[in-house]
Amino acid sequence: MPDLTLQRCASCGAELPERDARTSCPACGGLLALEHAPPAERGAALRDRFDARLRDAAAGHVADAAGAARASGVWRFRELIMPGATDADIVSQPEGNTPLFHRPSVAAWAGVDGLLLKHDGFNPTGSFKDRGMTVALTQARRAGARAVACASTGNTSAALAAYAALAGVPGLVLVPAPKGGAQQVALGKLAQTLAYGARTLLVRGDFDDCLRLVREGAERLGVYLVNSINPYRIEGQKSVALEILQQLAWNAPDWIVLPAGNLGNTSAVGAALRDAVRLGLIDRAPRIASIQAAGANPFASGYRENFATQHRVKAETVATAIKIGDPASWDRAAAVIREFDGVVTDVSDAEILEAKAAIDAAGIGCEPASAASVAGVRRLAREGVIRAGDRVAAILTGHVLKDPGVLLDYHRADHDAPLVNAPVEVDATLDALARVVDATAAAAGR
Ligand SMILES: *Cc1c(COP(=O)(O)O)cnc(C)c1O
Ligand SMILES: [Zn+2]
């Protein structure tokens, strides 16, 4: 079969064939983007095809490789992601098909009635990174890679480790080593990576050092790089936006809001909307709002200056998944913000933790970085950028159990913050239990 996908350098236009395992331009070092042969259908016919696959997936499949590929919320959109992949090529758990919640308490906290929460923490390893990793490992196998590697703030490692195990390809992850006794990677993510069996390197440096090292090493050591600079990962991550549109019966919301670190996801959401408009899946695109942590906000600073120069900062935030000072996908994310009338803002760690407490207390929960999106919605609503009547889909990127350390530190008796729920130590007596039951019921007005 001829290639249905071309890899093209976004900087100089150089072309690489579909299965070339390099992940940056050999001529100029620029990032690669994929161009696919156009699908045979568009508009209503293409929507119908995607909707039929959704019904088919809901009907259930045996979870063999082909069944997983057909049930996946990523591969449902395969014409837009990797049109040349066959069921036999695909490495899928399956992933995607995550819920779109409406929680009145969270909407009220943010001040936007129409707030929807696209919870990608419901993916197999608990974060949206699975959407990109299913495509990256599929490509690694098609390209005959001898190993795959990534630098990570944690979730990419967990996803790599799980999908590498599924694909039968050795995986290596580079994460920042503990510094001054403090873990630099959230406990749940590190535990998953070890459990799924990826070789784990604790690098004496920060995330940006890990990424530089793995980029240098991958090329020389013949290891396939699956960081978000890998264009196949971006293709898979497009599916989160496509799923939102499909869940809303292809009536686009006014906004898609998401946390922003290395900016792969901002790039991917933009690329998906570009496809959706071009192919007539929707008739108007939502606006995009990318939310950074105030202590890791180079992109928000750049936005305020119309992206005149690329900013770098020394990152510091409780939201470790977006603790990135020198984002790799800056150029393509800046293009997306311009194209979709987007905005970029930043929120403090206190705002992030307060948003997280509201999401957690609604019974769904998320990791700190994910809550940045909801904190950003509140910020933008207060500024009048998002209007109270707007339909807003905020992406929750990771599961509440990813970062138990932050949770236990929040819910301390001596911590003065909203919704603190410190554990209560009691004697093993019925009296003691009765006092707590009475007080708890009274506080709830029951
Ligand atoms: C990776 C990650 C992000 C940031 O996505 P980028 O593509 O790096 O901008 C946000 N939240 C979570 C939970 C993540 O794992
Ligand atoms: Zn180039």
Side-chain angles (χ1 to χ4, degrees):
M1 196 187 344
D3 280 8
L4 296 177
T5 294
L6 178 73
Q7 308 193 65
R8 188 189 297 283
C9 172
S11 305
C12 78
E15 296 177 3
L16 267 64
E18 175 167 358
R19 289 174 200 236
D20 194 304
R22 285 171 292 193
T23 47
S24 52
C25 173
C28 77
L31 296 186
L32 300 173
L34 302 185
E35 295 171 10
H36 305 304
E41 295 152 320
R42 42 178 294 129
L46 190 54
R47 285 197 297 263
D48 288 349
R49 175 175 298 278
F50 294 151
D51 290 350
R53 286 189 190 140
L54 176 60
R55 282 193 299 276
D56 210 30
H61 286 288
V62 180
D64 57 9
R70 283 197 299 275
S72 168
V74 174
W75 295 100
R76 175 178 315 137
F77 306 106
R78 61 178 72 185
E79 286 83 354
L80 314 187
I81 288 172
M82 189 189 272
T86 62
D87 279 1
D89 290 334
I90 291 173
V91 180
S92 170
Q93 299 268 10
E95 48 289 311
N97 299 311
T98 58
L100 187 64
F101 292 121
H102 177 64
R103 287 293 180 275
S105 62
V106 180
W109 183 88
V112 177
D113 287 344
L115 177 62
L116 299 169
L117 305 169
K118 174 63 170 170
H119 206 326
D120 251 23
F122 283 65
N123 271 296
T125 78
S127 86
F128 78 82
K129 298 294 201 293
D130 293 340
R131 295 181 182 273
M133 210 53 83
T134 177
V135 183
L137 264 293
T138 296
Q139 176 64 6
R141 248 188 5 195
R142 294 171 94 216
R146 67 175 185 144
V148 294
C150 73
S152 174
T153 61
N155 280 330
T156 299
S157 324
L160 177 151
Y163 282 85
L166 187 62
V169 176
L172 288 134
V173 308
L174 283 70
V175 297
K179 213 166 56 199
Q183 282 294 346
Q184 300 300 301
V185 179
L187 206 58
K189 304 176 188 181
L190 185 59
Q192 283 180 294
T193 306
L194 299 173
Y196 300 139
R199 201 91 181 105
T200 303
L201 286 74
L202 303 174
V203 176
R204 297 184 196 103
D206 63 11
F207 169 80
D208 299 302
D209 295 319
C210 292
L211 183 56
R212 182 182 42 75
L213 180 59
V214 78
R215 284 182 79 159
E216 282 170 19
E219 201 121 307
R220 283 202 215 151
L221 306 175
V223 171
Y224 189 55
L225 184 63
V226 297
N227 269 95
S228 65
I229 60 167
N230 181 313
Y232 288 93
R233 272 199 51 205
I234 301 290
E235 292 303 293
Q237 287 173 206
K238 291 192 315 197
S239 63
V240 68
L242 297 170
E243 269 192 15
I244 291 171
L245 298 176
Q246 187 175 36
Q247 284 169 307
L248 296 174
W250 306 103
N251 297 307
D254 298 302
W255 291 90
I256 293 181
V257 184
L258 73 168
N262 225 3
L263 304 177
N265 219 15
T266 298
S267 309
V269 167
L273 298 180
R274 205 173 280 147
D275 288 349
V277 171
R278 185 170 45 86
L279 293 169
L281 295 173
I282 53 175
D283 47 27
R284 92 191 147 75
R287 296 178 70 184
I288 295 179
S290 290
I291 315 297
Q292 296 212 287
N297 67 349
F299 197 53
S301 308
Y303 169 77
R304 286 174 198 124
E305 298 171 5
N306 213 3
F307 300 123
T309 56
Q310 180 160 350
H311 292 233
R312 286 178 189 79
V313 303
K314 191 82 193 159
E316 196 49 65
T317 169
V318 68
T320 49
I322 51 173
K323 187 176 163 186
I324 289 163
D326 186 12
S329 293
W330 179 284
D331 288 340
R332 51 190 176 194
V336 159
I337 294 298
R338 288 203 185 96
E339 185 175 340
F340 292 96
D341 194 13
V343 299
V344 187
T345 191
D346 53 3
V347 289
S348 69
D349 279 5
E351 289 171 278
I352 289 173
L353 289 175
E354 194 184 328
K356 176 172 153 54
I359 297 161
D360 291 354
I364 49 179
C366 66
E367 70 165 281
S370 310
S373 59
V374 171
V377 171
R378 181 169 78 165
R379 161 72 60 96
L380 293 172
R382 285 183 173 171
E383 289 171 356
V385 178
I386 293 179
R387 281 161 309 170
D390 283 352
R391 292 165 75 230
V392 179
I395 301 176
L396 301 181
T397 43
H399 194 274
V400 67
L401 284 177
K402 287 286 190 173
D403 198 342
V406 164
L407 276 169
L408 296 175
D409 192 52
Y410 190 84
H411 295 290
R412 282 181 288 108
D414 61 347
H415 185 206
D416 180 22
L419 298 168
V420 167
N421 179 31
V424 198
E425 192 168 325
V426 295
D427 290 329
T429 66
L430 192 54
D431 266 4
L433 178 61
R435 274 195 298 277
V436 176
V437 170
D438 290 347
T440 305
R446 307 183 80 93

